Amino acid sequence: FPVTIVFARYVVGIKNASASSVHTIELMAIHDGTTVSLSKYGEIFNVSSLGTFDAVINNANVELKFTAVDTTAYTIKVARTHM
């Protein structure tokens, strides 16, 4: 989201190709123009975590980043609301 927006909430759903592993989480992000603070809550997975989340400022945008635990192909869906 653009840095002109200060607050954002994400709901993320992740599944592997066979949908045998699923992972969902809610994240809240705020920033001061330099650093992004990310709160993670409501995390649920059926087998184990499929990865980790972080957020950074890149140029004029706040980027939500997902780092997978392996090289499996994943489907990731994200819903974002912001203020």
Side-chain angles (χ1 to χ4, degrees), residues 8-68:
R9 176 180 170 254
Y10 299 90
V11 177
V12 182
I14 306 163
K15 65 180 180 177
N16 65 1
S18 66
S20 61
S21 294
V22 294
H23 184 162
T24 186
I25 189 169
E26 290 190 47
L27 305 121
M28 298 287 288
I30 62 170
H31 71 87
D32 61 7
T34 305
T35 304
V36 181
S37 296
L38 192 63
S39 175
K40 305 162 193 168
Y41 59 95
E43 185 170 29
I44 305 169
F45 40 82
N46 68 333
V47 178
S48 62
S49 175
L50 299 179
T52 60
F53 295 86
D54 196 11
V56 298
I57 293 179
N58 184 9
N59 295 318
N61 294 298
V62 176
E63 296 179 349
L64 180 65
K65 296 189 175 259
F66 172 72
T67 303

Side-chain angles (χ1 to χ4, degrees), residues 2-13:
V3 294
T4 55
I5 298 169
V6 180
F7 313 96
R9 176 180 170 254
Y10 299 90
V11 177
V12 182

